[in-house]
Amino acid sequence: IVTTAKGTEVLFLNSSEIPTVSAKIIFGGGGRLESVDKMGLTEMLNRTLVTQTKTKSESELLKAIEDCAAGISAFGGKNTTGFSIDYMTPFEKDIIGLTKDVVNAPVFSDEIYNRERSVLEKQILAKQDQPSFLCGRQFNQTIFAGHPISFDQSGTAETLARITTNDVSQIYNHIKSEKNMQVSVVGDFNRSAWMKLITDIENGFQSKGKRLEKAPFRTLSENKTVFQEKDKEQSHVIVGWQALSLTDPDRHALEIIQAVMAGQGGRLFIELRDKNSLAYSVSPIKMESLECGYFGGYIACSPDKVEKALKMFHEEFKKISTDLISEEELSRAQKYLIGQHDIGLQRKSSICNLISFDHFYGNDIHESMNISDVYMKITREKVRDLAEKIFSKNYVTSIVGRK
């Protein structure tokens, strides 16, 4: 890890057996910088950021990237915005030049913005007829009421209409600031060439300061149920509890709970679908963010089975809170999680994602790279105690379907 004079942390991981490189340029920000009347601002930034520069039109930029058999794309979520770069080492000089152009000299044209907004508006309209989406949105808005992580990442037709190309340009210049950028490079790369690129990017900064400040967060003071009527064959149901943050030391034990509940061999599938024929689809759900996250269950079932499904959800979550899971369940979950982790580490892009976001949020990247030791130390008692801690809290029930 190298830190530049302007405060940019750079993570280098050399892997030269295959001449490819995966890199991430991350800025703090994302959806947590949006206001409720301009939801979707980060999404519009993602869609317009890698489209045109001061030296290249959209078609010229896309052709230049394709000629290098590479990928340069923007990403953005609840907490971050940035760029993903993947290329073959022989094209490094060209890709670094294109990356500099995209990061330091993007052009946000009204023509491209209006085109992308029109596409997004159609996608938003299509989702209004998807009960599963409506159920999840309703759940988020209730369990994290007023907090930025409850906002729709895509925004709404009304909020998008309030966003201009100037808003997009301003938010990008706001996050592109000193001490708010982190760069990770994994593969067969030229270190000095990347350090030169980072210096060139830093010279384009217009402000200082980290854009990852925590937002005020309220715990649930009571159980809440929200319902939206939708005349569909299936009712969609979520029951969930406020859970852990991205840096909580218990987050790996929560992954064990999720693995015990998930899949065709998991408790929810066996109890609610196999034994009781309640579900078309059933699974645990989990999310973690800076301040908090959630854990719970989702089910799509016949409207007349909603009440029983909810009862069984609570039974299963109470059971794991009071009784130790079996040695077999713990072993299965540990092996599954370790296997998925190790498979992911076969790809440089996965390694880059892992070390980039873990370090950015303050987690130990060495622990993350060798996670098998962490999983194997988790005991049945730890799982039970964490489940009791989470599932004894107030919860939210979200239902979309027939009355």
Side-chain angles (χ1 to χ4, degrees):
I1 300 175
V2 178
T3 303
T4 69
K6 291 190 176 182
T8 299
E9 290 189 307
V10 188
L11 285 67
F12 287 118
L13 181 59
N14 188 267
S15 176
S16 57
E17 70 280 359
I18 301 174
T20 60
V21 180
S22 184
K24 274 274 191 300
I25 299 173
I26 300 177
F27 300 101
R32 67 178 46 248
L33 299 183
E34 296 176 5
S35 59
V36 69
D37 63 329
K38 290 190 177 180
M39 289 187 295
L41 179 56
T42 300
E43 180 65 20
M44 287 308 305
L45 175 61
N46 298 343
R47 290 169 178 254
T48 56
L49 190 48
V50 188
T51 55
Q52 190 174 338
T53 70
K54 292 179 180 178
T55 63
K56 288 181 174 61
S57 67
E58 184 177 27
S59 59
E60 289 171 340
L61 178 60
L62 292 176
K63 185 177 185 303
I65 295 172
E66 288 176 357
D67 286 346
C68 295
I72 302 177
S73 60
F75 67 86
K78 299 291 187 182
N79 309 309
T80 60
T81 299
F83 299 87
S84 298
I85 304 106
D86 294 280
Y87 63 90
M88 298 178 66
T89 305
F91 295 101
E92 185 166 66
K93 182 178 179 180
D94 293 331
I95 289 300
I96 283 181
L98 288 170
T99 300
K100 176 184 173 182
D101 206 21
V102 165
V103 177
N104 273 2
V107 172
F108 300 102
S109 75
D110 289 336
E111 180 183 358
I112 292 175
Y113 175 83
N114 290 333
R115 180 194 71 199
E116 294 300 320
R117 184 177 68 181
S118 178
V119 172
L120 183 55
E121 286 172 340
K122 290 181 175 64
Q123 293 173 348
I124 291 171
L125 183 62
K127 288 193 290 187
Q128 302 311 305
D129 199 45
Q130 297 176 10
S132 58
F133 164 77
L134 297 175
C135 187
R137 182 178 67 179
Q138 185 173 254
F139 174 77
N140 275 325
Q141 290 173 345
T142 306
I143 198 166
F144 300 124
H147 193 280
I149 58 175
S150 71
F151 294 171
D152 280 354
Q153 188 160 331
S154 298
T156 66
E158 292 75 22
T159 61
L160 291 180
R162 300 188 189 104
I163 300 171
T164 66
T165 52
N166 186 54
D167 292 324
V168 174
S169 178
Q170 284 186 345
I171 194 66
Y172 181 58
N173 288 327
H174 179 63
I175 64 173
K176 204 176 71 161
S177 65
E178 287 186 27
K179 302 186 186 301
N180 192 47
M181 180 172 76
Q182 176 191 289
V183 179
S184 305
V185 190
V186 177
D188 185 17
F189 53 84
N190 182 317
R191 181 170 173 148
S192 61
W194 268 95
M195 290 303 296
K196 174 65 167 60
L197 169 63
I198 292 164
T199 299
D200 290 340
I201 293 174
E202 288 178 327
N203 290 335
F205 288 160
Q206 297 184 10
S207 56
K208 295 183 180 181
K210 202 167 183 66
R211 311 296 189 221
L212 202 61
E213 295 182 3
K214 290 188 176 182
F217 173 76
R218 295 194 301 270
T219 57
L220 285 171
S221 58
E222 60 182 353
N223 298 330
K224 294 185 178 181
T225 298
V226 281
F227 172 78
Q228 181 177 348
E229 188 168 6
K230 202 78 172 174
D231 189 15
K232 297 287 186 180
E233 291 299 318
Q234 296 286 338
S235 285
H236 296 256
V237 180
I238 292 174
V239 57
W241 290 257
Q242 292 174 342
L244 306 182
S245 71
L246 284 163
T247 56
D248 195 300
D250 288 338
R251 66 191 184 280
H252 301 303
L254 189 58
E255 290 180 277
I256 295 288
I257 294 176
Q258 183 181 29
V260 168
M261 293 283 188
Q264 293 188 8
R267 290 188 175 190
L268 295 183
F269 191 95
I270 291 173
E271 296 298 327
L272 276 73
R273 179 166 172 167
D274 276 6
K275 293 184 178 179
N276 288 275
S277 302
L278 293 179
Y280 168 74
S281 174
V282 62
S283 64
I285 56 171
K286 179 172 75 74
M287 186 277 289
E288 286 141 8
S289 191
L290 283 183
E291 297 82 9
C292 187
Y294 63 69
F295 190 94
Y298 161 81
I299 189 169
C301 61
S302 299
D304 60 308
K305 295 181 178 179
V306 167
E307 188 175 344
K308 185 175 181 181
L310 283 171
K311 180 183 177 183
M312 292 202 66
F313 263 143
H314 285 284
E315 287 175 355
E316 291 305 315
F317 290 125
K318 183 177 181 180
K319 191 187 302 179
I320 203 169
S321 304
T322 55
D323 303 330
L324 294 177
I325 61 174
S326 68
E327 292 283 4
E328 182 182 353
E329 286 178 309
L330 178 60
S331 177
R332 181 177 71 90
Q334 290 168 329
K335 290 176 181 177
Y336 170 78
L337 291 169
I338 292 169
Q340 290 297 301
H341 176 269
D342 290 349
I343 290 171
L345 293 186
Q346 302 304 308
R347 301 185 298 273
K348 289 178 182 177
S349 59
S350 296
I351 297 173
C352 189
N353 282 337
L354 179 68
I355 65 174
S356 297
F357 289 106
D358 264 358
H359 187 73
F360 195 78
Y361 293 129
N363 290 323
D364 183 352
I365 59 175
H366 300 291
E367 179 185 86
S368 300
M369 290 290 287
N370 300 281
I371 200 67
S372 60
D373 292 339
V374 177
Y375 287 134
M376 294 308 295
K377 290 178 181 177
I378 296 171
T379 64
R380 295 189 296 157
E381 289 78 12
K382 178 66 175 176
V383 170
R384 180 195 59 196
D385 293 347
L386 178 59
E388 196 279 330
K389 175 183 174 182
I390 293 174
F391 302 133
S392 63
K393 298 177 181 178
N394 294 312
Y395 57 88
V396 169
T397 305
S398 173
I399 306 170
V400 174
R402 294 177 184 170
K403 284 188 177 179

